[in-house]
Amino acid sequence: MTEQPTSHEGRQPLAARPQERARPRAESAGATAAVPGPAVPTPGGPPQDLQDLAVAARREGDRLRFVGAATRRIARGIDLDEIVLGLCRATVPTFSDAILVYLRDPLPVGDERPVAPFVLRLRRTDRLRLAEDVVDFGAAVTPVTVADPHYDLTPASDLCEVRSGGALSEVLRGVRPVFGDSAAARAALPELLGADRSVPAGHRAILAPLRGRRRVIGAAVFLRRPDRPAFEPNDLLVAAQLATHTALGIDKAVLYGREAYIADELQRTMLPDSLPQPTGVRLASRYLPAAETARVGGDWYDAIPLPGSRVALVVGDVMGHSMTSAAIMGQLRTTAQTLAGLDLPPQEVLHHLDEQAQRLGQDRMATCLYAVYDPVSHRIPIANAGHPPPVLLHLGGRAEVLRVPPGAPIGVGGVDFEAVELDAPAGGTLLLYTDGLVESRLRDVWTGIEQLRERLETTAQLTGPDHSPPLEALCDDVLDMLGPGDRDDDIALLAARFDGIAPSDVAYWFLEPEDAAPGRARRLARRALERWHLEELSDAVELLVSEVVTNAVRYAERPVMLRLLRTDVLRCEVGDDSPQLPRQRKARETDEGGRGLFLVNRLARRWGATRLSSGKVVWFELPTRP
């Protein structure tokens, strides 16, 4: 009759492994802890007491080797499941025929105070199960498989509430493992396994508390069948070693899991949850940490909608990839968003970021590239602070490294930044990235940039000269250029596809700040809507344009700008030189005014006001389709 060890998690069997039952021998986890048969003196050999001492020394050596191999296997685990699995695989079948591992639910982390009540949950069991038996059918003896998937050598409940002052609580508080036939264990095991559960008849057991650095976090039950040698006093020391190493490993795994969770949450909050979908441009992004063990870093990207259907494109890299770098990155990203909302020129944004980095402390260095895309003029001003230059992939498939003055990194102080304004042709794709994409131990940054340019051209050839490659697939293809030794740093990637807004879909005028301006604005808007065949919007647009222009004329000293943009929505923008932003308020019944923004809020799908360096812009949008 042969036996096979099987494992199951959540009471489900896993793959079996062959195990010789007739004679215990050393396994991968170490030598067996079972007691060998009695020594038989040989004629002319050493005296019996010397043979007994040799046998005892050999058994103790086997135990030490087993404990060393088992603890090494447990220590190899990083997360909670790996450590528990390591304990189970190291002990079954070498040390025991079955094991039950209970852990506190929920597991306390670090110095956290455990929640009440004290509940243990069965985390994992491993056991031996009969896989083959010999059945006598009269004259023939035939081996037949009699494995029963419902048969369980160690029936136990999944949850156990440890009562304060109870037998199980006393054993766990005592920390030391106890034999299953001891008075303390006989009272504690039914409480752990369940009221109607018990250790199978004839089986030997050891109940070992799992104590972490500060508190008991679980318990382990080791079981042997009646045909195996009984546990010895020294086996209690083995169980204590296994329980101690497992508990400390679980403590570290829980702390590591919490740190990984904090790192993930920190990085997730530092980067955009999703990119905006501004008119005239499509966006895609990627972020890769330097390694799974260092999930936070100083690389970031952002896309910020601006007045006039423009969008600010930002990518930056704080030196290092630690929690400190991520915190500095978050502050710089927030500052960049605030500066972008003021509609400052790119070089001014970098100048203020440089001042902010110096206020954060010494040696707070970062590189940054800031660009503003205008889909109406098809132009893009760019300023650079020590960052790798962007690459523009034209519609025909030619990739060009844009010539942008590099500037000094942010944090140097006292450096002027220079902006250049470049063409942004329709169908082109601008790629902004951090140096982790193009620089590594195996190549310098300019070699990497040239490889990136060639990769973009190769990808564009697959779609032909008349079609731009899909944006998401392009980002994935760019990251595929990284080899096994090319991941030395974080990677942030931001790709922008320039669709633009056709001149035929734009109408704008400048109105003198006089009483006749609202009436003229209504007429101009009506003619534009007739030209675009959007007459059904005339009533709403004329009313809202009249209200917004009236408010602008009241405070403006220079001509008021009126612009209509037709895309998937109709967008109306009114700009003036007054920095005072309009606020919606509730008008009283006797007030003659104060209801303009109330109408805008009720009739428009969206509306807003943005302060500019030269004044403000008030805008609203209406759907072009019902």
Side-chain angles (χ1 to χ4, degrees):
M1 180 173 62
T2 60
E3 296 177 353
Q4 293 181 343
T6 61
S7 304
H8 69 88
E9 185 167 5
R11 315 293 297 248
Q12 298 298 321
L14 297 176
R17 298 174 295 176
Q19 167 68 19
E20 184 179 349
R21 180 182 170 192
R23 179 172 56 89
R25 55 192 178 92
E27 300 292 338
S28 60
T32 177
V35 180
V40 178
T42 58
Q48 181 66 41
D49 54 349
L50 294 180
Q51 294 185 32
D52 293 342
L53 289 175
V55 170
R58 184 166 57 252
R59 291 168 59 187
E60 291 307 312
D62 290 343
R63 282 194 178 93
L64 290 176
R65 285 190 291 272
F66 165 72
V67 171
T71 52
R72 285 193 299 271
R73 186 166 192 170
I74 294 169
R76 284 199 299 265
I78 295 179
D79 61 23
L80 184 62
D81 291 331
E82 288 179 347
I83 293 172
V84 175
L85 177 62
L87 171 65
C88 294
R89 294 291 171 84
T91 54
V92 177
T94 308
F95 181 71
S96 63
D97 297 311
I99 183 174
L100 296 88
V101 181
Y102 283 85
L103 294 181
R104 197 162 191 157
D105 186 27
L107 275 170
V109 180
D111 296 329
E112 275 186 1
R113 176 174 295 179
V115 298
F118 186 172
V119 176
L120 293 178
R121 179 181 294 273
L122 183 61
R123 183 76 183 195
R124 185 181 179 89
T125 68
D126 269 26
R127 62 186 176 85
L128 285 172
R129 186 184 58 177
L130 293 177
E132 192 177 81
D133 206 344
V134 177
V135 181
D136 189 357
F137 292 101
V141 178
T142 308
V144 179
T145 300
V146 294
D148 183 0
H150 302 292
Y151 171 74
D152 194 350
L153 182 65
T154 55
S157 60
D158 290 334
L159 285 176
C160 165
E161 182 175 343
V162 181
R163 299 187 304 272
S164 178
L168 181 58
S169 175
E170 292 299 320
V171 172
L172 296 180
R173 189 168 59 181
V175 178
R176 298 180 181 276
V178 294
F179 286 122
D181 56 358
S182 65
R186 284 198 303 268
L189 282 173
E191 184 180 345
L192 178 66
L193 302 179
D196 55 345
R197 315 288 178 90
S198 62
V199 175
H203 286 68
R204 288 90 168 192
I206 290 179
L207 174 58
L210 301 178
R211 181 176 180 83
R213 294 183 303 161
R214 290 179 173 83
R215 62 184 64 87
V216 173
I217 60 174
V221 181
F222 304 94
L223 292 170
R224 281 186 185 174
R225 299 192 312 272
D227 56 337
R228 285 281 296 272
F231 288 115
E232 298 180 351
N234 284 343
D235 290 329
L236 291 179
L237 300 178
V238 173
Q241 287 284 336
L242 298 177
T244 299
H245 280 80
T246 301
L248 294 177
I250 290 173
D251 256 356
K252 293 177 182 178
V254 172
L255 286 172
Y256 172 79
R258 172 62 61 87
E259 290 180 359
Y261 170 78
I262 293 173
D264 287 340
E265 287 297 310
L266 177 62
Q267 192 67 60
R268 189 176 296 113
T269 55
M270 293 298 183
L271 298 175
D273 290 335
S274 60
L275 292 174
Q277 300 298 325
T279 302
V281 63
R282 285 172 285 170
L283 302 171
S285 64
R286 295 290 186 273
Y287 174 81
L288 293 179
E292 287 297 322
T293 55
R295 307 186 186 189
V296 294
D299 292 19
W300 90 92
Y301 62 87
D302 215 340
I304 309 166
L306 300 178
S309 297
R310 296 171 301 148
V311 59
L313 307 173
V314 192
V315 65
D317 181 5
V318 178
M319 293 183 182
H321 38 79
S322 62
M323 289 285 188
T324 302
S325 300
I328 296 172
M329 176 267 284
Q331 296 181 70
L332 292 180
R333 178 175 175 243
T334 302
T335 304
Q337 290 179 330
T338 303
L339 297 171
L342 299 176
D343 203 23
L344 299 177
Q347 65 273 22
E348 289 296 322
V349 171
L350 295 184
H351 175 73
H352 289 292
L353 284 176
D354 180 57
E355 292 180 337
Q356 175 67 7
Q358 295 178 66
R359 285 191 291 267
L360 294 176
Q362 295 180 351
D363 300 329
R364 304 306 190 193
M365 306 286 289
T367 63
C368 183
L369 193 145
Y370 187 92
V372 178
Y373 171 63
D374 189 340
V376 177
S377 64
H378 297 273
R379 301 284 289 176
I380 179 167
I382 304 177
N384 190 359
H387 204 76
V391 179
L392 178 63
L393 177 63
H394 294 266
L395 182 61
R398 180 176 64 91
E400 174 188 7
V401 180
L402 298 182
R403 297 180 178 274
V404 181
I410 289 172
V412 172
V415 178
D416 291 332
F417 298 97
E418 182 181 353
V420 294
E421 188 169 337
L422 305 173
D423 289 327
T429 304
L430 184 68
L431 208 67
L432 309 180
Y433 53 91
T434 56
D435 58 359
L437 180 65
V438 295
E439 185 180 21
S440 70
R441 295 187 302 269
L442 305 179
R443 60 185 177 186
D444 62 78
V445 62
W446 289 107
T447 301
I449 292 174
E450 181 61 23
Q451 292 178 0
L452 172 62
R453 189 191 66 80
E454 294 175 353
R455 187 60 175 254
L456 291 174
E457 290 185 345
T458 302
T459 303
Q461 290 175 1
L462 300 177
T463 57
D466 299 329
H467 301 280
S468 301
L471 206 55
E472 296 290 341
L474 180 65
C475 291
D476 293 334
D477 194 61
V478 166
L479 294 180
D480 286 342
M481 67 180 278
L482 297 171
D486 291 345
R487 290 290 305 281
D488 298 333
D489 199 357
D490 306 337
I491 297 174
L493 176 66
L494 179 62
R497 173 70 44 77
F498 300 142
D499 293 333
I501 299 176
S504 58
D505 292 329
V506 181
Y508 63 92
W509 307 271
F510 288 96
L511 309 174
E512 293 296 328
E514 54 190 13
D515 294 341
R520 184 165 178 244
R522 290 193 297 269
R523 293 190 297 272
L524 294 172
R526 186 188 315 117
R527 293 171 187 171
L529 295 178
E530 291 173 354
R531 186 169 67 251
W532 291 335
H533 306 290
L534 297 175
E535 292 86 350
E536 67 275 9
L537 299 179
S538 293
D539 292 341
V541 171
E542 288 184 38
L543 175 61
L544 298 184
V545 164
S546 178
E547 293 293 339
V548 176
V549 171
T550 298
N551 188 74
V553 168
R554 181 178 305 168
Y555 300 102
E557 297 181 357
R558 298 179 181 178
V560 175
M561 183 272 296
L562 170 63
R563 183 165 74 168
L564 299 180
L565 302 173
R566 182 187 63 166
T567 55
D568 54 338
V569 298
L570 180 69
R571 181 183 178 98
C572 175
E573 299 173 351
V574 177
D576 61 74
D577 60 346
S578 172
Q580 182 178 354
L581 297 180
R583 301 295 182 193
Q584 183 181 351
R585 63 183 181 87
K586 185 175 181 180
R588 294 173 296 183
E589 295 181 357
T590 56
D591 291 342
E592 296 183 0
R595 298 177 177 84
L597 290 181
F598 175 79
L599 293 174
V600 173
N601 186 61
R602 293 298 298 269
L603 298 179
R605 190 178 74 171
R606 292 196 311 156
W607 76 278
T610 304
R611 181 179 286 110
L612 307 178
S613 57
S614 59
K616 68 175 180 294
V617 169
V618 181
W619 56 270
F620 63 84
E621 294 178 350
L622 293 171
T624 57
R625 299 179 182 86

